[in-house]
Amino acid sequence: MTALAMVIGMLPMALGLGDGGEQNAPLGRAVIGGLLFGTMSTLLFVPVVFSAVHGWLKRREAHTASTPALSAN
């Protein structure tokens, strides 16, 4: 919600509205692009990495539980 509010708030700047707006438009576009990229990567990348690590740990735990312990004899 915060990122969406920021993107909506940056739209007039990115569109270059107002006096001298064409100077600040690239900055507004860069901020909007960064916010959208950061939000999407957080919503997609973090859960995928968490799921991968969680699955790897479960497989490792199952493997160590099924492997008999070696005796020191």
Side-chain angles (χ1 to χ4, degrees):
M1 283 173 80
T2 304
L4 180 63
M6 182 71 174
V7 167
I8 291 170
M10 293 296 290
L11 279 176
M13 184 178 182
L15 295 174
L17 303 176
D19 294 336
E22 61 274 358
Q23 285 183 331
N24 292 328
L27 175 64
R29 291 184 202 119
V31 169
I32 289 173
L35 282 168
L36 291 176
F37 178 76
T39 301
M40 290 299 119
S41 63
T42 299
L43 291 175
L44 297 173
F45 179 73
V46 171
V48 167
V49 170
F50 175 81
S51 178
V53 170
H54 187 70
W56 178 75
L57 289 174
K58 273 190 151 182
R59 284 191 307 274
R60 191 177 112 187
E61 181 181 304
H63 177 72
T64 56
S66 66
T67 305
L70 296 175
S71 63
N73 294 342

